[in-house]
Amino acid sequence: MALGAPAAIPRTAHAQPAPGSVVSATPLDARLSLPGAASAHALSYTTQWRSGETTTATGVVFLPGGTAPEGGWPVVAWAHGTTGLADDCAPSRNPRSERDAAYLEHWLSQGYAVVAADYPGLGSDGLHRYLDGQSAANSIVDLVRAARAVEPALSERWTVVGQSQGGHAALHTAHTASERAPELDFRGTVTTGAPSNLELVFPIGFPEFPELPLDGLTTFGAYIFAGLREADPGLGLDGYLTDLGREIVDAAGSLCYDEMVDRYTGVGIGDLLARPLGDDRFPVALADYLGVPVRGYDRPLFVAQGLNDRVVPAPLSFKLVADLWAGGAQPRFATYPTGHSETMAASLPDTTPFVAELFAR
């Protein structure tokens, strides 16, 4: 099959297409590509929400320059950070930020193909369910499948690398990759600034919710509430919100991150809440939705954390790593004197040889 041509999807009269089936593949607009990419294609493909319901997702595959090595280009699956919930916020529809472009070009320069999922609902059907890690993980694994169906120069060997929201998605991917796609050769995971243990923070609730010195907390909270409301309608989330809270959570479905921050500067997360979140139902629902697995990993993990991170504070990651060790994962953990975004570049001297070791196994 030629690159850019939609792949045929085998169907029976009533069968759903298999996860990772290609719906379409077209050359990516050059304005949305990376300077270091020899070619780039936008894909749509089938995947699943955490419920098992089939949906369509979108993403991009970038190839490095040169000739593929024997066995094909090893694959780095990139899991992106927060952009928003609306289709217009999908990374494949926008030029990559300077930070992300430099980071992805680094992996291309190491001789890896990069596949970059948007996650379900970002640029595809349904509302994106922010920090629904299992749905995002499904889309990451299934994009690797779809990219290999379109581009035969890709190896079956792959890793996942994620920042912030994408670090959360990457941990879920690491937990499910071998079981979800046993035909592939999953090697391991890198995360930077991965949020975890948020389910322990949010149920503090109104009126005790402290004014924490964290960047973007109200926007992140609104995205979480909007995603949880979509994933669990029976929770009755609107009943926990003030009128202003409902306005902001509704706006979260249409405004990308920078727009949300600009519009609601000065609004504290406690202003969204009309009643405590610590009742019998909410903490259970939130933990199921947000929680990061701490047992059952079968491949190496590298967890990087900035000590000056004002988005994902370091104590949350300290607990995550302790729980991962207790669960038998034995992650490699490194801290850096950096903020949230800066940890990506600061960790490269450590994560680059780590990924090389994964592919050398």
Side-chain angles (χ1 to χ4, degrees):
M1 182 185 66
L3 268 174
I9 303 173
R11 296 178 185 269
T12 61
H14 302 288
Q16 293 285 347
S21 297
V22 178
V23 176
S24 67
T26 58
L28 185 67
D29 187 315
R31 293 170 296 180
L32 306 180
S33 189
L34 299 170
S39 68
H41 284 76
L43 279 64
S44 62
Y45 59 99
T46 57
T47 189
Q48 294 169 311
W49 297 105
R50 68 157 58 195
S51 64
E53 180 184 359
T54 298
T55 189
T56 300
T58 55
V60 176
V61 53
F62 300 102
L63 293 188
T67 302
E70 183 178 357
W73 296 113
V75 176
V76 167
W78 163 241
H80 67 81
T82 304
T83 59
L85 310 188
D87 287 349
D88 286 346
C89 311
S92 68
R93 296 190 178 192
N94 296 277
R96 304 279 162 171
S97 69
E98 183 177 347
R99 179 200 73 175
D100 287 3
Y103 192 71
L104 297 184
E105 286 184 26
H106 169 79
W107 295 112
L108 287 171
S109 74
Q110 299 299 304
Y112 307 132
V114 173
V115 303
D118 288 329
Y119 313 143
L122 266 175
S124 52
D125 293 341
L127 181 71
H128 173 50
R129 300 171 187 178
Y130 181 71
L131 290 182
D132 174 0
Q134 186 57 57
S135 295
N138 291 346
S139 72
I140 292 167
V141 176
D142 294 339
L143 178 57
V144 177
R145 289 167 151 165
R148 294 189 70 244
V150 168
E151 177 47 77
L154 298 188
S155 170
E156 64 184 14
R157 298 173 298 143
W158 70 288
T159 62
V160 62
V161 175
Q163 156 70 6
S164 194
Q165 178 191 3
H168 182 272
L171 288 166
H172 280 268
T173 301
H175 191 256
T176 196
S178 296
E179 180 178 358
R180 184 168 183 84
E183 77 279 11
L184 300 177
D185 183 4
F186 178 64
R187 296 300 181 95
T189 302
V190 170
T191 72
T192 56
S196 63
N197 295 299
L198 300 180
E199 67 276 13
L200 304 179
V201 176
F202 277 91
I204 294 171
F206 175 86
E208 296 88 1
F209 205 103
E211 290 297 325
L212 300 173
L214 300 177
D215 297 336
L217 184 59
T218 299
T219 293
F220 294 127
Y223 284 156
I224 289 170
F225 292 152
L228 180 58
R229 183 172 65 180
E230 180 76 8
D232 188 0
L235 179 61
L237 187 132
D238 281 358
Y240 293 89
L241 302 176
T242 61
D243 290 343
L244 176 61
R246 286 190 289 274
E247 173 195 324
I248 293 175
V249 171
D250 288 345
S254 59
L255 298 180
C256 298
Y257 178 77
D258 289 342
E259 298 171 286
M260 280 286 291
V261 170
D262 288 345
R263 180 172 297 189
Y264 295 109
T265 295
V267 178
I269 188 140
D271 297 329
L272 276 60
L273 303 173
R275 54 186 270 216
L277 304 179
D279 60 18
D280 291 340
R281 176 139 166 72
F282 195 93
V284 174
L286 195 66
D288 177 67
Y289 180 75
L290 287 178
V292 173
V294 294
R295 297 179 181 274
Y297 293 90
D298 62 358
R299 298 292 186 273
L301 300 172
F302 190 113
V303 178
Q305 174 66 44
L307 294 176
N308 299 322
D309 193 328
R310 289 170 53 91
V311 175
V312 176
L316 297 179
S317 292
F318 296 159
K319 175 171 170 46
L320 170 65
V321 170
D323 290 343
L324 288 169
W325 271 93
Q330 300 183 352
R332 192 178 302 184
F333 181 50
T335 60
Y336 303 88
T338 53
H340 189 62
S341 290
E342 295 80 7
T343 303
M344 293 169 63
S347 62
L348 282 175
D350 299 319
T351 58
T352 301
F354 176 80
V355 170
E357 290 170 12
L358 295 179
F359 284 123
R361 289 173 181 264

